[in-house]
Amino acid sequence: MRRILLFLVFATGVVSAALAQGVTTASMSGQVSDQNGEPLPGVNVVATHVPSGTVYGTVTRADGYYNFPAMRVGGPYTIKVSFVGYKEQVKENVYLQLGQTFSSNYKLSDESTQLAEVVISGTQDPTLNSDKMGASSNFSVNQIQTIPSIGRDFRDISRLTPQAGGSAFSFGGRSNLYNNLTIDGATVNNVFGLNPLPGGQSNATPFSMDAIQEITVSLSPYDVRQGNFTGAGVSAVTRSGTNEFTGSAYFFFRNQGMAGKKVDGVNSPVPSFNFKNYGFRIGGPIIKDKLFFFANLEFEKRTDPFYTNPVRPNKAASTQGATQATDDNDPETGLAGLRDFLISKYNYDPGVYKDFNRATDNIRYVLRLDYNINANNKLTLRGNVTNAYQDQPPSTSGGFVGGPPGGRGNTNNVLSFSSSYYRINNNQYSVTAELNSILGGGKYSNNLVAGFSSFRDFRENAGGLAVPDFPLVDILGPNGQNMTTFGPDPFTKNNKLDQNVIQLNDNFNIYLKNHTVTVGTANELYTFNNVFTQVVNGVYRYNSLADFYADADPATTTTARPAQYTTQYVAVPGGPSATAAKWSALQLGFFAQDEYTGFENLKITGGVRVDIPLYLTDLPKNNYINSINLNGEQLRVGGWPQVRPLISPRIGFNWDVKGDRTTQLRGGTGVLTGRVPFVWLSNAVSNNGLFFGQLNTTSVPFDVTGDGFPYNFSTKPYVGNPEQYSNLQNGTPALITNPLDRNYGRSAIVPAVNTVAKNFKFPQVWRTNIAIDQQLPGGVVGTLEFIYTKDINAVYLRDANLADSKATLAGDGRPLYGAAPGSPNVDRAIISNDRRINGDIGQALVLDNTNKGYQWSITAQLQKTFNRNFQVSAAYTYTDAREINPQNGSTAGGIFSSQANVLGPNRTELSYAGALTPHRVIAYGTYRIEYFKHFATTFGLTYEGRSGSNFSYLYNGDPNSDGTTGNDLIYIPKSKEEIVLSTASATDSRTLDQIWQQLDNYISQDHYLNSRRGKYAERNAAYSPWVNRLNLSLLQDFYVEVKGKRHTIQLSANLDNALNLFNSSWGLIKNPARNQLIRFLGYEQPHTAGTVGANGQVTTTTATTGKPIYTFEANADGTPLNKSFIPDQTLTSGGRWQLQLGVRYIF
Amino acid sequence: MNYKYKLASLIAISALVYGTSCSDPDYAEPVPATSASNLSANFLFVNASPDAPSLDLFINNVKSGNSVVSGANQDTYTAVPIVSNGVFANTNIRAKASSGTIGGVLGSSDLIYRAGNNNSNNFQASANAYYTIFAVDTTDRVKPLRTLNASSFGDTTFFNPPTGKQLSVVERKALSAEAKAKLVPLGTIPLGSSDPGGVRFLVLTETLPSPAAGKVSVRFIHLSPDAGTLTATLGATSVTSGIFSYPMRFPTFTPSVGSRGTTAGFQTIDAGTYDAVVKSAGNEVSRLDAQTLTEKSVYTVYITGVLKDGTLKTSIIKHK
């Protein structure tokens, strides 16, 4: 039987899985036998968590086995095994890792044997043990405290996982939105998915490192209790109080004087900033051995200047790259006058345009209670709060039209007023209750977790000010770049997201001979209330300050109009709050599994989990849109996917090959079911074509003001057609009522809708891993681990209203899509060459699935644990990951438009994943030494060497005419004859031959491009240069013992990117100089204009037959672009060294 | 089963998975162009600046035709490769001094065609079309400031934010120094980059007629910056087609734009030998005698120079 089973395991590749136990606790199990190996039933086994006096007691079953489920993480534990007539055995100094099942067997000698009490030390190798099946990494409180982390961020710890990627918090080449983060078993992910972690938008970590006891990163857990991720499951447990009062108060700081001043040999001053992180933790008994508390309070404050780039006041004081100021134009004089004008005319103070700061602030606190109700029941209550905010520069986006050239944040060209900066607030509240019970005298156990997490994200104006009802205005300067912006950020008004996650999990364990059977349920209820009324106050753009004055003030003798105006208006009765995406969903999970230990030296676990997503909210239907047939497809605006159970079978094994735990083969295979970032579903709730209407214009189609059309500057928002909402619901669209519109009387275009396919399913992957762990000489443990993941249901976005390609792009070969669709101001029709299938609606995005996509990695790792104070590890991982479209983005539209492709956005090729880091070396070590009775020094080191970030070489523009700019992969020409080049502008002094020569030289010096001549560039196939990163930490303790208690003063230095300190050309992060390498200008022969029929519609057009024309632009200073990469000079990228100092008191 | 055998099996399976996984993404095969495009347009350059040195015309930064001294023109159109057929502005036009620099306001800078006030767009050329390019204006023409008066050379207009009013020069002078400091110079803000002053371009897009036997097509183009409105005659025949006021001062043409593109039609007269006479307010200001206009040909009579300096000069171009 054993042979058959083993054969099946190997032959089918069905390998794997570490039975990672519960994610908040650890477990212990084993067998007690007599000297002859006969099982001893009824033996007393008592494990005591020494610091808290928490006692776990049981008696062995008939087969001699015992189990302790749901034990406190950490230790030390003392285990006593006693039986009448036998010598007692004691095992001490046992430490339990999060999720670990500590295996401990005993052979008792009868009392007649002349042996003293047996006392042994309880160590278990973290890798070579029977619990480990799948790929996972565990980090103890010691490592958390000593591993270098300048941000005191748990992600710096999780990044030590060999399979972690270069980008933040991604693993195995999968998007970081597919991870699941739990604290004490409660989901604290930002499940909405605007950012993978709560507080991510305000640069806050969700919890303090001082509050954390252990962190586990699971990549392939075959324990069916774990779910809701297809990336990695990251579990953290908070510290607990003990019988002894312990605590710490700490303060860390850094500023611009503690960072590198040079980047790659060039002086590059650091803008002044101030960072402080301080707080305290304390834990202790409320009732000795019974009730304990732990509390942590932490503050983090940072101030950075927003104004770092002065616009030169005159040529003499010129700053490189600044062209806004001229002999005749001092922008600062104009802006001072502009502020006076806005105050006097509109009573609107736009704020200041320089010398103001960004505030980053967050407060985190945790309170935990552990209650040993009795020997069989342990209750844990935990609450944590994070209140965080950060000021942000105004968005560069234009909303539904292009943003201003040059952006809105401060540069040498742009001086935006402080009223355009905004503050993002991320508040998180979470409570958890966990009850662990032992039932039936140890034959059963139960784990019950109830959690509630609440996320409140909202925006204000920078400084925490209310967002006024005022439009945003961009004013360009003499060089055509944006010179200033005033008015609130267009995406801030009414922008809020409320999320609640209610969680109820229970699992019940049954301990049988050779079997541990688990059945249970894991359920999460989500509620969302997302209001997002982008551009609702309108965005104006003027070509000059004079044009603004002329438009805003009728008293001027000249008249002018904005160069561009865009707004979105609320079309639903009830105002902005009525546009909220307010909905609920429920995910039910049920599971059963069996852990079988009946084979000698082999542990097998198998189980199945069923997840059932349910949608609880009826959504308004857009019956007009839903009545339209798009080449056989009927959209389902307001419809949810069908309810389908998602089944996840899993099996894992751990085989001690030689029976001496020196060679271990482990692995497993199974299906993991994750969540979709709910924002992608929420897009379909809010972008239903019912809530909003749009006005976008860049020309002057209306010579007169009509219909309240606010083409002249107005501080009042546009009021749309109040019947639009009901009309669309009734199946009849609103009609264009402006008689000056050439489409007068026709239905208004519904700009864009998002829907979800009827058969859409949550992401699922089939993941398999197999690993060999080998005890090597010198106590080193070597691991070789292979993980393969195949997408079963990957998320795929398509535009159901994008017509098939119309032709082939001449001189290239890729499909060429139709001409731009009609708009309200030009003739509109369903014409043969239209980009749209139906001209009355715009983009119709459908959230759908594909089974294309996979990831695999192979890891070689060496680890050695000398003792609890000295550990080292080094690993190399090669990863490959492919996906159909990006799996990262806060909107469906954003994901769709960033799908770099050749064949078109609905036919994206299977290519490299955006989160892929092919090569990565990670090494870390910690060492602590105590000396002279009062001193201790701790060293920490991490080294990461990895491939740089990947990117795609794209055209700047839209040569394939699919309606999206910047998503077309370039063709890499072999010769000048293969590309039509043109000068970039009137001031371009290069001949066409010189432009080709510069492009050819660039391609030749770029390793990737040169290797792809004559082919298309592939998505995410080019890489920035290799990244080397060495971080160091030094903790110096001075301690004294007072009444048996140690009091320590600890000074700390944390050096981030130490290589860069030694040489400013080391440790750099380099970014692509220009990934949109070649600018598309147009076609030799354009789409032919159609003829206008009697009804005012264009009846036919012809696709272009001409070749596309491009330019390869020089640098701003006119020199050729001849290097692929430039060093990142920002502090946040980590490309400069930084030092953080701290002081801590520990008792 | 021996564990070594099992390990070997395992490694083999791993290798198989590795081998099947590691492949390049599957992208379509491109179909690149096999030969260069073959579009061209025709350019003829006239140095109509009163005081510019000999100039060379560059199309897409390649010299086009021969060098041209002040008041002269190239004899024929030169066919030049272009890279779009009247689709968008991507034909780069500039002029450089044949030796040394243009001087004046431009100094060592090139004369550049800019399509718009606030941009650096190129010229939009169509395949097989004909363009006559004039370099006009004096080298010392000041960089223009925005003006609201009809003379095109007014003063800067200022805006007073506290009152929300525009101020004339006189009103501005009456303000205190503190109040003056708050003024916004309206005219200077949108300008500057487009027109640096000095010599600038006038580009005529030509629709060249095909006169019948015994006939010629003619027109008159006024290129003197200070000569006011002019009339022209060819013998007894008045020239009625063309441009009779300095084209850079047309009311519809924003004087701040550095370059201008326009059109001008032709009229048909009998072929023959004519005296070309140019008059201002009925007074002759320039003439060019005994010009033989060959049948089936197309001509432009143009006047350059500065009236106040007495340097007006009449010339003639044979387009075909």
Side-chain angles (χ1 to χ4, degrees):
Chain A
M1 175 66 193
R2 189 185 311 170
R3 285 173 178 272
I4 293 171
L5 234 166
L6 285 172
F7 173 78
L8 287 173
V9 166
F10 282 103
T12 59
V14 174
V15 236
S16 172
L19 177 57
Q21 284 288 10
V23 291
T24 61
T25 57
S27 304
M28 193 180 291
S29 66
Q31 189 185 32
V32 182
S33 58
D34 62 17
Q35 285 175 302
N36 301 320
E38 293 298 317
L40 286 175
V43 177
N44 285 309
V45 184
V46 176
T48 303
H49 182 251
V50 177
S52 65
T54 304
V55 175
Y56 303 84
T58 189
V59 293
T60 55
R61 301 187 293 272
D63 55 4
Y65 279 94
Y66 69 94
N67 295 83
F68 292 126
M71 301 175 79
R72 274 190 176 208
V73 173
Y77 277 89
T78 297
I79 305 162
K80 290 188 176 178
V81 182
S82 60
F83 194 44
V84 174
Y86 290 82
K87 287 283 185 186
E88 180 180 85
Q89 280 199 19
V90 179
K91 186 175 277 190
E92 295 180 333
N93 293 319
V94 172
Y95 290 85
L96 301 183
Q97 291 180 357
L98 178 60
Q100 177 187 15
T101 298
F102 185 86
S103 180
S104 186
N105 299 325
Y106 301 89
K107 278 191 175 180
L108 299 187
S109 308
D110 61 50
E111 286 187 317
S112 60
T113 307
Q114 295 302 309
L115 288 175
E117 181 187 68
V118 179
V119 178
I120 54 176
S121 186
T123 58
Q124 180 168 289
D125 189 275
T127 302
L128 287 168
N129 65 73
S130 63
D131 309 323
K132 197 168 174 74
M133 294 185 182
S136 65
S137 299
N138 180 274
F139 304 99
S140 68
V141 67
N142 278 356
Q143 291 169 310
I144 292 169
Q145 286 178 330
T146 54
I147 289 291
S149 173
I150 197 166
R152 289 177 36 78
D153 187 340
F154 82 99
R155 286 174 295 185
D156 290 337
I157 306 300
S158 65
R159 199 172 284 140
L160 302 180
T161 303
Q163 294 84 1
S167 60
F169 204 52
S170 71
F171 300 89
R174 286 189 69 80
S175 163
N176 56 15
L177 293 176
Y178 290 141
N179 298 328
N180 192 39
L181 173 66
T182 63
I183 303 178
D184 296 329
T187 298
V188 293
N189 255 37
N190 189 337
V191 296
F192 200 71
L194 295 178
N195 196 281
L197 295 171
Q201 294 169 301
S202 52
N203 200 31
T205 55
F207 45 78
S208 165
M209 295 273 268
D210 261 68
I212 298 304
Q213 176 74 24
E214 277 199 45
I215 295 172
T216 293
V217 179
S218 299
L219 290 153
S220 47
Y222 301 110
D223 181 343
V224 294
R225 288 173 295 186
Q226 295 198 41
N228 290 331
F229 63 86
T230 57
V234 181
S235 304
V237 290
T238 51
R239 290 177 185 247
S240 302
T242 64
N243 279 332
E244 187 178 4
F245 283 100
T246 58
S248 177
Y250 48 91
F251 179 83
F252 301 94
F253 73 99
R254 64 180 190 270
N255 60 29
Q256 73 283 355
M258 301 154 73
K261 308 286 189 300
K262 278 187 176 180
V263 176
D264 206 10
V266 177
N267 284 325
S268 179
V270 182
S272 60
F273 73 95
N274 188 296
F275 172 86
K276 289 180 287 192
N277 176 216
Y278 52 96
F280 72 91
R281 61 176 158 82
I282 186 167
I286 298 173
I287 303 170
K288 191 180 179 189
D289 293 342
K290 193 80 172 172
L291 181 61
F292 311 93
F293 78 97
F294 171 81
N296 170 239
L297 173 63
E298 182 171 294
F299 300 86
E300 186 174 310
K301 296 178 186 297
R302 179 174 175 132
T303 304
D304 298 87
F306 264 136
Y307 175 77
T308 55
N309 298 289
V311 175
R312 63 183 172 128
N314 53 57
K315 283 183 177 175
S318 68
T319 305
Q320 188 179 5
T323 54
Q324 201 69 275
T326 66
D327 285 344
D328 310 318
N329 182 35
D330 173 4
E332 295 202 34
T333 302
L335 298 189
L338 176 61
R339 178 171 181 264
D340 288 342
F341 172 73
L342 294 171
I343 292 172
S344 66
K345 182 163 178 68
Y346 300 113
N347 193 28
Y348 175 73
D349 186 349
V352 295
Y353 56 84
K354 63 178 183 178
D355 299 334
F356 58 105
N357 291 325
R358 154 186 277 181
T360 304
D361 193 300
N362 64 79
I363 305 171
R364 305 179 274 258
Y365 38 103
V366 174
L367 178 63
R368 173 174 172 140
L369 298 173
D370 290 276
Y371 181 34
N372 297 337
I373 300 170
N374 52 42
N376 292 327
N377 294 282
K378 311 279 190 294
L379 177 67
T380 298
L381 299 173
R382 192 264 305 150
N384 74 291
V385 174
T386 301
N387 288 336
Y389 64 76
Q390 185 176 53
D391 294 333
Q392 303 282 357
S395 168
T396 59
S397 169
F400 307 106
V401 294
R408 297 189 177 109
N410 174 230
T411 67
N412 287 336
N413 281 318
V414 186
L415 284 177
S416 293
F417 283 91
S418 57
S419 65
S420 298
Y421 289 66
Y422 66 93
R423 170 168 293 180
I424 189 151
N425 294 270
N426 294 144
N427 296 340
Q428 176 207 347
Y429 313 89
S430 176
V431 293
T432 313
E434 179 175 7
L435 177 65
N436 288 296
S437 304
I438 298 173
L439 308 167
K443 293 180 181 175
Y444 315 103
S445 70
N446 192 72
N447 170 263
L448 174 66
V449 175
F452 172 73
S453 293
S454 167
F455 306 86
R456 297 291 179 265
D457 301 334
F458 60 97
R459 290 192 183 191
E460 302 169 293
N461 261 20
L465 303 174
V467 185
D469 282 315
F470 199 87
L472 179 127
V473 180
D474 297 313
I475 296 176
L476 308 189
N479 64 353
Q481 299 287 299
N482 195 28
M483 182 174 74
T484 192
T485 295
F486 63 85
D489 170 79
F491 306 97
T492 293
K493 185 73 179 176
N494 306 317
N495 187 337
K496 74 161 191 172
L497 169 63
D498 296 343
Q499 303 177 62
N500 294 327
V501 181
I502 298 173
Q503 187 178 1
L504 185 64
N505 297 353
D506 189 83
N507 52 73
F508 184 74
N509 300 307
I510 306 163
Y511 304 105
L512 304 170
K513 182 178 182 181
N514 297 329
H515 294 271
T516 299
V517 177
T518 302
V519 294
T521 179
N523 309 289
E524 292 185 346
L525 171 67
Y526 317 99
T527 64
F528 305 102
N529 184 6
N530 183 209
V531 185
F532 182 50
T533 60
Q534 57 175 317
V535 204
V536 74
N537 284 333
V539 173
Y540 293 85
R541 183 188 303 171
Y542 291 91
N543 282 333
S544 70
L545 189 53
D547 278 358
F548 170 70
Y549 283 131
D551 190 34
D553 189 353
T556 57
T557 56
T558 56
T559 58
R561 293 191 185 280
Q564 179 172 292
Y565 173 72
T566 180
T567 191
Q568 178 175 247
Y569 55 88
V570 175
V572 54
S577 62
T579 65
K582 199 170 182 178
W583 57 288
S584 304
L586 180 64
Q587 182 154 337
L588 304 176
F590 304 97
F591 50 79
Q593 76 178 11
D594 182 21
E595 175 189 325
Y596 182 67
T597 53
F599 299 119
E600 188 178 356
N601 302 325
L602 176 66
K603 181 189 281 188
I604 294 176
T605 179
V608 65
R609 178 181 176 115
V610 180
D611 290 287
I612 308 168
L614 300 167
Y615 307 94
L616 307 180
T617 307
D618 284 335
L619 303 177
K621 304 285 188 296
N622 190 329
N623 290 313
Y624 167 62
I625 295 288
N626 292 347
S627 68
I628 295 172
N629 186 304
L630 298 174
N631 284 355
E633 179 168 2
Q634 217 79 31
L635 293 176
R636 301 173 64 251
V637 177
W640 290 112
Q642 278 187 335
V643 174
R644 291 169 184 274
L646 300 166
I647 300 169
S648 306
R650 302 177 200 171
I651 184 170
F653 75 95
N654 178 295
W655 178 32
D656 179 3
V657 178
K658 298 178 182 174
D660 57 1
R661 212 41 89 179
T662 56
T663 302
Q664 175 176 282
L665 190 63
R666 58 183 172 80
T669 190
V671 175
L672 301 176
T673 301
R675 304 183 199 94
V676 65
F678 285 107
V679 62
W680 301 350
L681 292 170
S682 195
N683 289 152
V685 179
S686 51
N687 297 338
N688 53 14
L690 296 168
F691 290 163
F692 299 103
Q694 288 178 23
L695 288 174
N696 304 305
T697 184
T698 55
S699 59
V700 190
F702 306 104
D703 245 349
V704 296
T705 302
D707 280 1
F709 191 80
Y711 200 72
N712 281 101
F713 182 75
S714 171
T715 59
K716 294 190 172 76
Y718 178 75
V719 178
N721 178 1
E723 296 177 354
Q724 181 167 317
Y725 176 80
S726 54
N727 282 343
L728 288 168
Q729 277 216 308
N730 294 336
T732 55
L735 302 181
I736 293 172
T737 56
N738 189 323
L740 296 174
D741 194 316
R742 294 172 80 176
N743 292 301
Y744 172 70
R746 290 177 55 82
S747 59
I749 287 181
V750 177
V753 292
N754 288 181
T755 65
V756 185
K758 189 176 183 180
N759 293 323
F760 176 77
K761 294 186 272 296
F762 274 25
Q764 280 190 302
V765 297
W766 177 32
R767 183 164 295 168
T768 302
N769 87 308
I770 189 159
I772 301 169
D773 304 310
Q774 178 66 49
Q775 182 75 56
L776 301 172
V780 175
V781 176
T783 295
L784 193 64
E785 180 138 31
F786 177 79
I787 307 174
Y788 180 78
T789 302
K790 175 77 182 76
D791 281 290
I792 300 173
N793 304 317
V795 174
Y796 164 62
L797 278 158
R798 58 185 171 85
D799 182 356
N801 196 29
L802 179 66
D804 288 341
S805 58
K806 304 297 179 186
T808 299
L809 185 60
D812 184 291
R814 79 185 68 202
L816 181 70
Y817 290 83
S823 72
N825 304 318
V826 296
D827 294 314
R828 167 163 55 97
I830 303 167
I831 52 179
S832 60
N833 190 40
D834 200 303
R835 183 180 299 145
R836 297 281 166 223
I837 296 171
N838 186 305
D840 288 342
I841 59 175
Q843 194 179 61
L845 291 183
V846 180
L847 192 66
D848 211 337
N849 292 122
T850 175
N851 61 4
K852 294 181 179 175
Y854 61 86
Q855 305 86 42
W856 66 267
S857 68
I858 188 159
T859 299
Q861 184 173 22
L862 297 174
Q863 300 176 80
K864 180 166 181 175
T865 302
F866 294 87
N867 53 54
R868 282 177 54 76
N869 291 326
F870 189 14
Q871 296 146 348
V872 292
S873 168
Y876 165 78
T877 300
Y878 178 80
T879 306
D880 190 7
R882 311 291 173 96
E883 62 193 12
I884 277 288
N885 61 229
Q887 303 289 312
N888 221 338
S890 61
T891 65
I895 294 170
F896 182 78
S897 62
S898 61
Q899 296 179 167
N901 65 82
V902 169
L903 298 180
N906 284 349
R907 299 164 61 190
T908 47
E909 295 83 358
L910 181 67
S911 193
Y912 301 102
L916 171 61
T917 303
H919 302 279
R920 186 168 185 266
V921 176
I922 185 76
Y924 61 92
T926 60
Y927 175 66
R928 176 181 168 87
I929 182 170
E930 298 190 358
Y931 50 95
F932 302 148
K933 295 184 179 177
H934 298 292
F935 297 90
T937 303
T938 307
F939 302 95
L941 172 151
T942 61
Y943 167 76
E944 181 188 35
R946 62 171 170 84
S947 309
S949 301
N950 60 3
F951 63 98
S952 310
Y953 273 113
L954 302 165
Y955 290 116
N956 178 351
D958 185 21
N960 75 347
S961 191
D962 63 1
T964 303
T965 60
N967 71 337
D968 299 340
L969 293 159
I970 65 169
Y971 169 74
I972 303 144
K974 298 193 296 283
S975 66
K976 182 173 180 258
E977 286 67 36
E978 292 188 344
I979 185 169
V980 181
L981 288 167
S982 172
T983 52
S985 73
T987 55
D988 191 341
S989 60
R990 300 170 298 170
T991 66
L992 304 187
D993 282 342
Q994 287 171 331
I995 295 171
W996 161 251
Q997 199 57 55
Q998 290 182 7
L999 174 59
D1000 190 46
N1001 290 345
Y1002 182 92
I1003 293 171
S1004 295
Q1005 63 82 42
D1006 186 286
H1007 174 73
Y1008 174 74
L1009 290 178
N1010 204 36
S1011 70
R1012 297 282 303 176
R1013 281 190 191 260
K1015 299 175 182 174
Y1016 296 118
E1018 306 145 300
R1019 185 171 69 249
N1020 294 326
Y1023 285 86
S1024 295
W1026 182 264
V1027 175
N1028 285 304
R1029 192 167 194 82
L1030 176 67
N1031 298 334
L1032 304 172
S1033 68
L1034 174 67
L1035 310 177
Q1036 180 59 53
D1037 292 4
F1038 308 94
Y1039 57 85
V1040 293
E1041 305 274 349
V1042 178
K1043 295 182 179 176
K1045 188 171 184 64
R1046 178 176 286 191
H1047 295 263
T1048 304
I1049 296 293
Q1050 182 180 77
L1051 304 178
S1052 66
N1054 214 315
L1055 180 59
D1056 195 66
N1057 198 1
L1059 293 172
N1060 188 250
L1061 175 66
F1062 304 129
N1063 186 322
S1064 70
S1065 297
W1066 296 350
L1068 297 177
I1069 305 289
K1070 289 192 174 181
N1071 297 323
R1074 188 192 298 161
N1075 74 311
Q1076 293 191 7
L1077 188 68
I1078 299 171
R1079 184 152 69 94
F1080 169 69
L1081 298 175
Y1083 306 102
E1084 288 179 313
Q1085 186 72 43
H1087 298 261
T1088 306
T1091 56
V1092 179
N1095 60 357
Q1097 298 181 7
V1098 179
T1099 54
T1100 182
T1101 63
T1102 306
T1104 180
T1105 55
K1107 287 183 276 192
I1109 301 167
Y1110 303 104
T1111 192
F1112 178 65
E1113 291 167 305
N1115 293 317
D1117 61 2
T1119 57
L1121 179 68
N1122 54 16
K1123 288 183 180 174
S1124 300
F1125 303 101
I1126 52 176
D1128 193 323
Q1129 305 204 359
T1130 61
L1131 267 183
T1132 50
S1133 72
R1136 304 177 191 234
W1137 66 265
Q1138 284 190 80
L1139 177 67
Q1140 180 165 287
L1141 300 178
V1143 61
R1144 178 190 285 272
Y1145 166 63
I1146 308 166
F1147 66 95
Chain B
M1 189 183 290
N2 184 292
Y3 81 88
K4 289 180 181 173
Y5 175 74
K6 293 168 191 165
L7 282 178
S9 304
L10 187 67
I11 292 165
I13 292 168
S14 301
L16 182 64
V17 175
Y18 178 92
T20 54
S21 302
C22 187
S23 58
D24 286 337
D26 189 17
Y27 281 88
E29 279 298 314
V31 185
T34 53
S35 61
S37 295
N38 194 26
L39 300 175
S40 68
N42 305 284
F43 297 88
L44 186 150
F45 180 51
V46 182
N47 183 349
S49 169
D51 59 350
S54 175
L55 297 174
D56 296 339
L57 178 71
F58 287 79
I59 303 297
N60 288 331
N61 298 304
V62 174
K63 186 180 175 185
S64 172
N66 57 291
S67 304
V68 184
V69 298
S70 172
N73 57 269
Q74 294 175 337
D75 293 334
T76 59
Y77 284 91
T78 303
V80 177
I82 60 170
V83 285
S84 82
N85 184 13
V87 181
F88 57 94
N90 73 326
T91 300
N92 185 296
I93 299 175
R94 69 174 60 217
K96 301 179 182 181
S98 302
S99 64
T101 64
I102 294 176
V105 173
L106 286 174
S108 60
S109 301
D110 298 341
L111 169 56
I112 299 172
Y113 180 93
R114 293 177 172 89
N117 186 9
N118 275 310
N119 63 42
S120 293
N121 289 349
N122 276 318
F123 180 72
Q124 181 171 313
S126 295
N128 304 317
Y130 286 80
Y131 301 98
T132 306
I133 299 175
F134 300 89
V136 298
D137 267 314
T138 58
T139 55
D140 60 355
R141 181 179 64 92
V142 297
K143 178 180 176 178
L145 301 176
R146 183 165 176 164
T147 178
L148 302 175
N149 63 36
S151 70
S152 304
F153 289 101
D155 200 346
T156 305
T157 303
F158 284 80
F159 181 75
N160 188 13
T163 63
K165 305 293 183 188
Q166 289 192 30
L167 300 179
S168 69
V169 176
V170 175
E171 290 169 322
R172 179 163 56 91
K173 284 181 177 174
L175 294 178
S176 66
E178 184 183 0
K180 279 180 183 174
K182 290 187 174 179
L183 294 180
V184 176
L186 274 186
T188 60
I189 291 171
L191 307 179
S193 62
S194 177
D195 182 7
V199 185
R200 53 182 161 171
F201 275 125
L202 170 70
V203 180
L204 295 185
T205 301
E206 308 290 16
T207 305
L208 297 177
S210 297
K215 299 291 184 182
V216 295
S217 293
V218 296
R219 69 180 176 191
F220 175 72
I221 304 294
H222 181 336
L223 299 168
S224 170
D226 71 338
T229 302
L230 300 174
T231 60
T233 56
L234 285 169
T237 304
S238 294
V239 181
T240 56
S241 293
I243 299 173
F244 299 92
S245 294
Y246 187 53
M248 310 311 274
R249 285 191 190 168
F250 273 15
T252 54
F253 174 53
T254 306
S256 60
V257 175
S259 312
R260 186 182 184 199
T262 187
T263 59
F266 294 85
Q267 69 188 94
T268 302
I269 64 172
D270 292 336
T273 301
Y274 294 95
D275 293 340
V277 178
V278 180
K279 295 180 179 177
S280 170
N283 300 316
E284 180 179 315
V285 292
S286 178
R287 67 182 299 130
L288 181 65
D289 291 339
Q291 295 299 303
T292 299
L293 307 185
T294 310
E295 66 168 349
K296 297 184 179 179
S297 299
V298 180
Y299 297 91
T300 291
V301 178
Y302 66 97
I303 187 167
T304 59
V306 178
L307 176 62
K308 70 179 176 59
D309 295 339
T311 58
L312 292 180
K313 177 188 173 187
T314 300
S315 307
I316 194 163
I317 303 167
K318 182 179 180 181
H319 294 278
K320 72 172 186 178

